Amino acid sequence: MNNPWHLYFMASLYIIAGIMHFIKPKLYMRIMPRYLPNHKLLVYLSGFAEVLFGLALCFSSTKPFAIYGIITMLIVFLSVHFYMLSSEKASAGFPKWLLLLRIPLQFGLMYWAWWYLSN
């Protein structure tokens, strides 16, 4: 394998985040936008996707699939971040400044993944 350590670090972050969807699903269901159906299923599917993409990052043959999947997933997750800004209940107790900071962080994570397409 010809992947740098920081790619494996990114992969481990997604794997751990995905596993947390199964360990603490109520935490994630609490922040789901009301307009989305079947919150529990969506939480489990997104957790599965994070684990899958994290694992796929570790192999050269599946790395591009994982990168495009991660970027797409992060774009979709933006709706959750904006929803959390919409009300006190949706914010899950996080301060507004932290919720605002998460939006540019999403774009930074997208760039981090995109960077591995050419490297």
Short mmCIF file of all heavy atoms in Angstrom, two decimals, residues 46-93:
data_model
loop_
_atom_site.label_atom_id
_atom_site.label_comp_id
_atom_site.label_asym_id
_atom_site.label_seq_id
_atom_site.Cartn_x
_atom_site.Cartn_y
_atom_site.Cartn_z
N SER A 46 -26.35 6.18 7.43
CA SER A 46 -25.22 7.12 7.36
C SER A 46 -24.02 6.57 8.14
O SER A 46 -22.88 6.74 7.72
CB SER A 46 -25.63 8.50 7.86
OG SER A 46 -26.06 8.47 9.19
N GLY A 47 -24.27 5.90 9.24
CA GLY A 47 -23.18 5.26 9.99
C GLY A 47 -22.52 4.17 9.17
O GLY A 47 -21.28 4.07 9.12
N PHE A 48 -23.34 3.36 8.50
CA PHE A 48 -22.80 2.31 7.63
C PHE A 48 -21.96 2.93 6.52
O PHE A 48 -20.87 2.43 6.21
CB PHE A 48 -23.95 1.47 7.06
CG PHE A 48 -23.48 0.44 6.08
CD1 PHE A 48 -22.89 -0.74 6.52
CD2 PHE A 48 -23.62 0.65 4.71
CE1 PHE A 48 -22.45 -1.69 5.61
CE2 PHE A 48 -23.18 -0.29 3.80
CZ PHE A 48 -22.59 -1.46 4.25
N ALA A 49 -22.47 4.01 5.92
CA ALA A 49 -21.73 4.67 4.83
C ALA A 49 -20.38 5.20 5.33
O ALA A 49 -19.37 5.05 4.64
CB ALA A 49 -22.57 5.81 4.25
N GLU A 50 -20.37 5.79 6.51
CA GLU A 50 -19.10 6.32 7.04
C GLU A 50 -18.09 5.19 7.27
O GLU A 50 -16.91 5.34 6.94
CB GLU A 50 -19.34 7.09 8.33
CG GLU A 50 -19.97 8.44 8.09
CD GLU A 50 -20.06 9.28 9.34
OE1 GLU A 50 -21.02 9.10 10.11
OE2 GLU A 50 -19.15 10.12 9.54
N VAL A 51 -18.55 4.08 7.82
CA VAL A 51 -17.64 2.94 8.03
C VAL A 51 -17.16 2.41 6.68
O VAL A 51 -15.96 2.17 6.48
CB VAL A 51 -18.32 1.83 8.86
CG1 VAL A 51 -17.46 0.58 8.89
CG2 VAL A 51 -18.61 2.32 10.27
N LEU A 52 -18.09 2.23 5.75
CA LEU A 52 -17.74 1.71 4.43
C LEU A 52 -16.72 2.61 3.73
O LEU A 52 -15.70 2.13 3.23
CB LEU A 52 -19.00 1.58 3.57
CG LEU A 52 -18.79 1.16 2.13
CD1 LEU A 52 -18.33 -0.29 2.05
CD2 LEU A 52 -20.06 1.37 1.31
N PHE A 53 -16.98 3.91 3.71
CA PHE A 53 -16.06 4.84 3.03
C PHE A 53 -14.71 4.90 3.75
O PHE A 53 -13.67 4.99 3.10
CB PHE A 53 -16.67 6.24 2.91
CG PHE A 53 -17.90 6.29 2.04
CD1 PHE A 53 -18.95 7.14 2.35
CD2 PHE A 53 -18.03 5.49 0.92
CE1 PHE A 53 -20.08 7.20 1.56
CE2 PHE A 53 -19.16 5.53 0.12
CZ PHE A 53 -20.19 6.40 0.44
N GLY A 54 -14.73 4.84 5.07
CA GLY A 54 -13.48 4.83 5.82
C GLY A 54 -12.64 3.62 5.48
O GLY A 54 -11.43 3.73 5.25
N LEU A 55 -13.27 2.46 5.43
CA LEU A 55 -12.54 1.24 5.06
C LEU A 55 -12.06 1.30 3.61
O LEU A 55 -10.93 0.92 3.30
CB LEU A 55 -13.42 0.00 5.27
CG LEU A 55 -13.72 -0.35 6.72
CD1 LEU A 55 -14.78 -1.45 6.78
CD2 LEU A 55 -12.45 -0.76 7.45
N ALA A 56 -12.91 1.81 2.73
CA ALA A 56 -12.57 1.88 1.30
C ALA A 56 -11.41 2.84 1.03
O ALA A 56 -10.69 2.67 0.04
CB ALA A 56 -13.80 2.27 0.49
N LEU A 57 -11.22 3.82 1.89
CA LEU A 57 -10.07 4.73 1.73
C LEU A 57 -8.74 4.01 1.84
O LEU A 57 -7.73 4.45 1.30
CB LEU A 57 -10.10 5.83 2.81
CG LEU A 57 -11.00 7.01 2.58
CD1 LEU A 57 -10.99 7.91 3.82
CD2 LEU A 57 -10.58 7.81 1.36
N CYS A 58 -8.73 2.89 2.53
CA CYS A 58 -7.48 2.18 2.83
C CYS A 58 -6.94 1.34 1.68
O CYS A 58 -5.83 0.81 1.78
CB CYS A 58 -7.68 1.29 4.06
SG CYS A 58 -8.10 2.23 5.54
N PHE A 59 -7.69 1.23 0.60
CA PHE A 59 -7.28 0.39 -0.52
C PHE A 59 -7.25 1.23 -1.80
O PHE A 59 -8.22 1.93 -2.11
CB PHE A 59 -8.23 -0.80 -0.68
CG PHE A 59 -8.33 -1.63 0.57
CD1 PHE A 59 -9.37 -1.43 1.47
CD2 PHE A 59 -7.35 -2.58 0.86
CE1 PHE A 59 -9.45 -2.18 2.63
CE2 PHE A 59 -7.43 -3.33 2.02
CZ PHE A 59 -8.47 -3.14 2.91
N SER A 60 -6.15 1.14 -2.51
CA SER A 60 -5.98 1.95 -3.73
C SER A 60 -7.11 1.75 -4.73
O SER A 60 -7.54 2.70 -5.38
CB SER A 60 -4.64 1.63 -4.38
OG SER A 60 -3.59 1.96 -3.52
N SER A 61 -7.59 0.52 -4.85
CA SER A 61 -8.63 0.23 -5.84
C SER A 61 -9.98 0.85 -5.49
O SER A 61 -10.79 1.12 -6.38
CB SER A 61 -8.78 -1.28 -6.03
OG SER A 61 -9.16 -1.89 -4.81
N THR A 62 -10.25 1.09 -4.21
CA THR A 62 -11.54 1.63 -3.80
C THR A 62 -11.44 3.07 -3.28
O THR A 62 -12.45 3.68 -2.95
CB THR A 62 -12.18 0.75 -2.70
OG1 THR A 62 -11.26 0.61 -1.62
CG2 THR A 62 -12.57 -0.60 -3.25
N LYS A 63 -10.23 3.60 -3.25
CA LYS A 63 -10.03 4.95 -2.72
C LYS A 63 -10.84 6.01 -3.48
O LYS A 63 -11.50 6.84 -2.84
CB LYS A 63 -8.54 5.30 -2.70
CG LYS A 63 -8.25 6.62 -2.01
CD LYS A 63 -6.76 6.83 -1.76
CE LYS A 63 -6.03 7.07 -3.05
NZ LYS A 63 -4.65 7.52 -2.86
N PRO A 64 -10.84 6.03 -4.83
CA PRO A 64 -11.64 7.06 -5.52
C PRO A 64 -13.13 6.95 -5.18
O PRO A 64 -13.79 7.98 -4.97
CB PRO A 64 -11.37 6.79 -7.00
CG PRO A 64 -10.06 6.08 -7.03
CD PRO A 64 -10.02 5.26 -5.77
N PHE A 65 -13.66 5.74 -5.12
CA PHE A 65 -15.07 5.53 -4.73
C PHE A 65 -15.32 6.14 -3.36
O PHE A 65 -16.30 6.84 -3.14
CB PHE A 65 -15.39 4.02 -4.74
CG PHE A 65 -16.59 3.65 -3.93
CD1 PHE A 65 -17.87 3.87 -4.42
CD2 PHE A 65 -16.45 3.07 -2.67
CE1 PHE A 65 -18.99 3.52 -3.68
CE2 PHE A 65 -17.56 2.73 -1.91
CZ PHE A 65 -18.83 2.95 -2.42
N ALA A 66 -14.42 5.89 -2.42
CA ALA A 66 -14.56 6.39 -1.06
C ALA A 66 -14.52 7.91 -1.03
O ALA A 66 -15.30 8.55 -0.32
CB ALA A 66 -13.48 5.81 -0.16
N ILE A 67 -13.62 8.49 -1.78
CA ILE A 67 -13.48 9.95 -1.79
C ILE A 67 -14.74 10.62 -2.32
O ILE A 67 -15.27 11.55 -1.71
CB ILE A 67 -12.23 10.37 -2.60
CG1 ILE A 67 -10.98 9.93 -1.84
CG2 ILE A 67 -12.23 11.87 -2.88
CD1 ILE A 67 -9.70 10.02 -2.65
N TYR A 68 -15.24 10.14 -3.45
CA TYR A 68 -16.47 10.71 -3.99
C TYR A 68 -17.65 10.46 -3.04
O TYR A 68 -18.51 11.32 -2.87
CB TYR A 68 -16.78 10.15 -5.39
CG TYR A 68 -15.86 10.71 -6.45
CD1 TYR A 68 -15.00 9.89 -7.15
CD2 TYR A 68 -15.86 12.07 -6.74
CE1 TYR A 68 -14.15 10.40 -8.12
CE2 TYR A 68 -15.02 12.60 -7.71
CZ TYR A 68 -14.17 11.76 -8.41
OH TYR A 68 -13.34 12.27 -9.37
N GLY A 69 -17.67 9.31 -2.40
CA GLY A 69 -18.72 9.01 -1.44
C GLY A 69 -18.66 9.93 -0.23
O GLY A 69 -19.69 10.42 0.24
N ILE A 70 -17.47 10.17 0.29
CA ILE A 70 -17.30 11.06 1.44
C ILE A 70 -17.72 12.48 1.09
O ILE A 70 -18.45 13.12 1.86
CB ILE A 70 -15.84 11.02 1.95
CG1 ILE A 70 -15.58 9.69 2.67
CG2 ILE A 70 -15.53 12.21 2.85
CD1 ILE A 70 -14.12 9.41 2.96
N ILE A 71 -17.31 12.96 -0.06
CA ILE A 71 -17.68 14.33 -0.46
C ILE A 71 -19.19 14.45 -0.60
O ILE A 71 -19.80 15.41 -0.10
CB ILE A 71 -16.93 14.74 -1.74
CG1 ILE A 71 -15.44 14.88 -1.44
CG2 ILE A 71 -17.51 16.04 -2.31
CD1 ILE A 71 -14.55 15.01 -2.66
N THR A 72 -19.81 13.48 -1.23
CA THR A 72 -21.27 13.49 -1.38
C THR A 72 -21.95 13.44 -0.02
O THR A 72 -22.89 14.20 0.25
CB THR A 72 -21.72 12.30 -2.24
OG1 THR A 72 -21.08 12.38 -3.51
CG2 THR A 72 -23.23 12.28 -2.42
N MET A 73 -21.47 12.57 0.85
CA MET A 73 -22.03 12.44 2.19
C MET A 73 -21.91 13.76 2.95
O MET A 73 -22.87 14.20 3.61
CB MET A 73 -21.29 11.32 2.91
CG MET A 73 -21.78 11.02 4.29
SD MET A 73 -20.85 9.65 5.03
CE MET A 73 -19.20 10.36 5.16
N LEU A 74 -20.76 14.41 2.88
CA LEU A 74 -20.56 15.68 3.59
C LEU A 74 -21.47 16.77 3.04
O LEU A 74 -21.96 17.62 3.80
CB LEU A 74 -19.10 16.10 3.53
CG LEU A 74 -18.13 15.22 4.31
CD1 LEU A 74 -16.69 15.60 4.01
CD2 LEU A 74 -18.41 15.28 5.81
N ILE A 75 -21.73 16.76 1.75
CA ILE A 75 -22.67 17.73 1.16
C ILE A 75 -24.07 17.49 1.72
O ILE A 75 -24.76 18.42 2.12
CB ILE A 75 -22.64 17.66 -0.38
CG1 ILE A 75 -21.32 18.21 -0.91
CG2 ILE A 75 -23.83 18.41 -0.99
CD1 ILE A 75 -21.06 17.94 -2.39
N VAL A 76 -24.47 16.23 1.77
CA VAL A 76 -25.79 15.89 2.31
C VAL A 76 -25.87 16.28 3.79
O VAL A 76 -26.89 16.80 4.26
CB VAL A 76 -26.09 14.39 2.11
CG1 VAL A 76 -27.34 13.96 2.87
CG2 VAL A 76 -26.24 14.07 0.62
N PHE A 77 -24.80 16.03 4.53
CA PHE A 77 -24.79 16.34 5.97
C PHE A 77 -24.89 17.84 6.23
O PHE A 77 -25.23 18.25 7.35
CB PHE A 77 -23.53 15.79 6.63
CG PHE A 77 -23.51 14.30 6.80
CD1 PHE A 77 -22.39 13.67 7.32
CD2 PHE A 77 -24.59 13.50 6.45
CE1 PHE A 77 -22.34 12.30 7.49
CE2 PHE A 77 -24.56 12.12 6.60
CZ PHE A 77 -23.43 11.52 7.13
N LEU A 78 -24.59 18.69 5.24
CA LEU A 78 -24.74 20.13 5.44
C LEU A 78 -26.17 20.48 5.85
O LEU A 78 -26.38 21.40 6.65
CB LEU A 78 -24.36 20.90 4.18
CG LEU A 78 -22.88 21.14 3.95
CD1 LEU A 78 -22.63 21.71 2.57
CD2 LEU A 78 -22.29 22.05 5.02
N SER A 79 -27.16 19.74 5.35
CA SER A 79 -28.55 20.02 5.71
C SER A 79 -28.76 19.85 7.21
O SER A 79 -29.51 20.60 7.83
CB SER A 79 -29.52 19.14 4.91
OG SER A 79 -29.38 17.78 5.28
N VAL A 80 -28.10 18.87 7.81
CA VAL A 80 -28.19 18.67 9.26
C VAL A 80 -27.55 19.84 9.99
O VAL A 80 -28.10 20.35 10.98
CB VAL A 80 -27.53 17.33 9.68
CG1 VAL A 80 -27.47 17.21 11.19
CG2 VAL A 80 -28.27 16.16 9.06
N HIS A 81 -26.42 20.31 9.52
CA HIS A 81 -25.74 21.42 10.18
C HIS A 81 -26.58 22.70 10.12
O HIS A 81 -26.66 23.43 11.11
CB HIS A 81 -24.36 21.65 9.57
CG HIS A 81 -23.44 20.48 9.75
ND1 HIS A 81 -23.17 19.93 10.97
CD2 HIS A 81 -22.76 19.73 8.86
CE1 HIS A 81 -22.35 18.90 10.83
NE2 HIS A 81 -22.10 18.76 9.55
N PHE A 82 -27.20 22.95 8.98
CA PHE A 82 -28.06 24.12 8.87
C PHE A 82 -29.31 23.96 9.73
O PHE A 82 -29.77 24.91 10.36
CB PHE A 82 -28.42 24.42 7.41
CG PHE A 82 -27.30 25.04 6.64
CD1 PHE A 82 -26.70 24.36 5.59
CD2 PHE A 82 -26.80 26.29 6.98
CE1 PHE A 82 -25.65 24.92 4.88
CE2 PHE A 82 -25.75 26.87 6.27
CZ PHE A 82 -25.18 26.18 5.22
N TYR A 83 -29.85 22.76 9.78
CA TYR A 83 -31.01 22.49 10.63
C TYR A 83 -30.67 22.74 12.10
O TYR A 83 -31.49 23.31 12.84
CB TYR A 83 -31.50 21.05 10.43
CG TYR A 83 -32.64 20.68 11.34
CD1 TYR A 83 -33.92 21.20 11.14
CD2 TYR A 83 -32.45 19.81 12.40
CE1 TYR A 83 -34.96 20.87 11.98
CE2 TYR A 83 -33.49 19.46 13.25
CZ TYR A 83 -34.75 20.00 13.03
OH TYR A 83 -35.78 19.68 13.87
N MET A 84 -29.49 22.35 12.52
CA MET A 84 -29.10 22.55 13.92
C MET A 84 -29.02 24.04 14.27
O MET A 84 -29.17 24.40 15.44
CB MET A 84 -27.77 21.86 14.20
CG MET A 84 -27.88 20.35 14.21
SD MET A 84 -26.31 19.53 14.54
CE MET A 84 -26.17 19.83 16.32
N LEU A 85 -28.81 24.88 13.29
CA LEU A 85 -28.79 26.32 13.53
C LEU A 85 -30.19 26.91 13.64
O LEU A 85 -30.36 28.04 14.08
CB LEU A 85 -28.05 27.04 12.39
CG LEU A 85 -26.54 26.94 12.40
CD1 LEU A 85 -25.97 27.37 11.05
CD2 LEU A 85 -25.96 27.78 13.52
N SER A 86 -31.20 26.14 13.25
CA SER A 86 -32.56 26.67 13.12
C SER A 86 -33.31 26.85 14.43
O SER A 86 -34.24 27.63 14.49
CB SER A 86 -33.38 25.80 12.17
OG SER A 86 -33.66 24.54 12.79
N SER A 87 -32.97 26.11 15.48
CA SER A 87 -33.69 26.24 16.74
C SER A 87 -32.85 25.75 17.91
O SER A 87 -31.87 25.01 17.72
CB SER A 87 -35.01 25.46 16.69
OG SER A 87 -34.76 24.07 16.81
N GLU A 88 -33.27 26.13 19.10
CA GLU A 88 -32.58 25.72 20.32
C GLU A 88 -32.61 24.20 20.48
O GLU A 88 -31.61 23.58 20.82
CB GLU A 88 -33.22 26.41 21.53
CG GLU A 88 -32.47 26.20 22.81
CD GLU A 88 -31.14 26.94 22.85
OE1 GLU A 88 -31.03 28.01 22.25
OE2 GLU A 88 -30.21 26.42 23.50
N LYS A 89 -33.77 23.60 20.23
CA LYS A 89 -33.91 22.15 20.38
C LYS A 89 -33.02 21.41 19.38
O LYS A 89 -32.34 20.45 19.72
CB LYS A 89 -35.36 21.73 20.21
CG LYS A 89 -35.57 20.26 20.46
CD LYS A 89 -37.02 19.87 20.32
CE LYS A 89 -37.14 18.37 20.56
NZ LYS A 89 -38.48 17.89 20.30
N ALA A 90 -33.02 21.87 18.14
CA ALA A 90 -32.23 21.22 17.09
C ALA A 90 -30.73 21.38 17.33
O ALA A 90 -29.94 20.55 16.89
CB ALA A 90 -32.59 21.78 15.72
N SER A 91 -30.35 22.41 18.07
CA SER A 91 -28.92 22.67 18.30
C SER A 91 -28.29 21.66 19.25
O SER A 91 -27.08 21.62 19.39
CB SER A 91 -28.71 24.07 18.84
OG SER A 91 -29.16 24.16 20.19
N ALA A 92 -29.12 20.86 19.92
CA ALA A 92 -28.65 19.81 20.84
C ALA A 92 -27.76 20.38 21.94
O ALA A 92 -26.88 19.70 22.44
CB ALA A 92 -27.94 18.70 20.06
N GLY A 93 -27.98 21.66 22.27
CA GLY A 93 -27.22 22.26 23.36
C GLY A 93 -25.86 22.83 22.97
O GLY A 93 -25.15 23.36 23.82
#
